[in-house]
Amino acid sequence: MTAMVKAEGVHKSFGPVEVLKGIDLEVKSGEVFCLIGPSGSGKSTFLRCINHLEKINAGRLYVDGDLVGYRQKGDKLYELKDSEVAVKRRDIGMVFQRFNLFPHMTSVENVMEAPVQVKGVSRGKARERALELLDRVGLADKAGSYPSQLSGGQQQRVAIARALAMDPKLMLFDEPTSALDPELVGDVLDVMRDLAESGMTMIVVTHEMGFAREVGDSLVFMDGGVVVESGHPREVLTNPQHERTKSFLSKVL
Ligand code: ADP
Ligand code: MG
């Protein structure tokens, strides 16, 4: 199995505050990799580093074998230009806690937007594909609806379809169900489960331990900017080895 994401001693600071203190992990191609940990432990920052939204300060971070944010020549690193970063970011889909759909666009327009604007796909082709993707997330009948006419769960499923429209090789989910009313969480998790079954490589930051247990291939518990414990989700969730993991799980399970 090849690594889709590889982190070696990844450090990230904001000014004097060190948020990631040496993250080592590997996400294999095709796996569902769940990331859990208390608020403030650096989960979102780590996803943002993978997605080129933050630059790491030390260590190495690779996506699909490519160094993130830098080019290596000999033993020297050169920062990538913004235009080069933009091209690499196309391959990574990200879904946030807040759906951030364009409010003045319908569902289908939201899903078409990036392929048309960024990839230069024709509007006709992009619309056709967008309708397929909306169907895939169970929203074929909401193609013409505006975000304000949709529930939070439906908006989040449009956001997932929008990310998929760019044909990403990696999908990042940052607490995708945390802002939803409880009764809307299941539909979003079902879409993510389908996506996992289709073979998509996914990194999922979540407090949904049921999802992690049933769908996850690997699970990492992060605290204070380090990986405290990792393993198969069932193993870590039922038999945590570290006090910090036990204490966290006792609060969320
Ligand atoms: P998590 O997602 O696990 O809750 P975050 O990665 O959001 O954690 O945040 C980790 C820490 O980094 C927090 O203390 C947060 O305040 C800090 N942090 C995150 N982004 C920034 C930023 N842009 N500037 C300064 N501090 C930040
Ligand atoms: Mg976060």
Side-chain angles (χ1 to χ4, degrees):
M1 275 245 210
T2 50
M4 179 58 79
V5 175
K6 193 165 186 187
E8 296 172 348
V10 167
H11 287 256
K12 174 67 191 175
S13 300
F14 294 104
V17 183
E18 192 173 41
V19 172
L20 301 180
K21 302 174 181 168
I23 301 287
D24 293 288
L25 56 79
E26 190 172 313
V27 179
K28 295 186 184 73
S29 225
E31 85 170 331
V32 177
F33 188 97
C34 296
L35 195 52
I36 64 171
S39 178
S41 56
K43 305 179 299 295
S44 295
T45 300
F46 184 61
L47 289 191
R48 291 170 58 80
C49 289
I50 294 173
N51 199 20
H52 300 85
L53 294 168
E54 305 286 356
K55 273 206 163 71
I56 67 173
N57 303 116
R60 292 280 192 276
L61 183 57
Y62 301 90
V63 172
D64 205 16
D66 274 350
L67 210 48
V68 175
Y70 299 89
R71 178 186 296 107
Q72 185 159 8
K73 270 199 195 135
D75 51 8
K76 281 223 172 88
L77 292 183
Y78 299 89
E79 280 195 17
L80 294 183
K81 289 187 251 163
D82 288 351
S83 57
E84 294 172 304
V85 167
V87 169
K88 297 207 181 251
R89 288 196 62 208
R90 292 180 194 176
D91 289 340
I92 303 175
M94 189 152 179
V95 176
F96 301 89
Q97 186 172 336
R98 290 267 157 216
F99 338 114
N100 307 321
L101 297 176
F102 300 116
H104 58 292
M105 291 184 188
T106 61
S107 302
V108 71
E109 287 165 353
N110 265 282
V111 178
M112 292 167 58
E113 181 68 7
V116 170
Q117 298 299 334
V118 180
K119 280 190 167 169
V121 176
S122 75
R123 292 191 69 82
K125 277 228 157 59
R127 174 177 293 273
E128 201 177 307
R129 179 84 205 294
L131 292 172
E132 279 169 28
L133 287 167
L134 286 172
D135 186 39
R136 183 166 168 195
V137 301
L139 293 175
D141 57 334
K142 300 290 181 193
S145 303
Y146 288 90
S148 60
Q149 299 170 314
L150 301 175
S151 73
Q154 290 169 334
Q155 290 182 57
Q156 191 61 302
R157 286 185 279 151
V158 174
I160 294 172
R162 183 175 60 172
L164 292 175
M166 289 294 279
D167 292 315
K169 56 188 173 192
L170 170 66
M171 285 282 287
L172 310 175
F173 292 88
D174 195 354
E175 302 197 30
T177 59
S178 297
L180 300 178
D181 292 333
E183 73 273 20
L184 303 177
V185 168
D187 286 343
V188 173
L189 293 180
D190 284 346
V191 166
M192 292 169 62
R193 190 186 310 257
D194 278 352
L195 192 56
E197 280 166 11
S198 79
M200 177 64 75
T201 310
M202 300 163 56
I203 304 181
V204 183
V205 174
T206 187
H207 295 297
E208 294 291 333
M209 298 303 151
F211 177 86
R213 191 185 296 109
E214 288 157 34
V215 184
D217 297 298
S218 303
L219 183 139
V220 157
F221 171 66
M222 251 175 89
D223 193 10
V226 298
V227 170
V228 174
E229 185 161 354
S230 62
H232 193 277
R234 272 191 295 277
E235 193 59 37
V236 177
L237 293 174
T238 53
N239 192 20
Q241 299 297 304
H242 292 262
E243 275 316 313
R244 284 201 272 174
T245 320
K246 287 179 195 170
S247 153
F248 175 76
L249 291 177
S250 72
K251 288 174 205 148
V252 296
L253 282 177

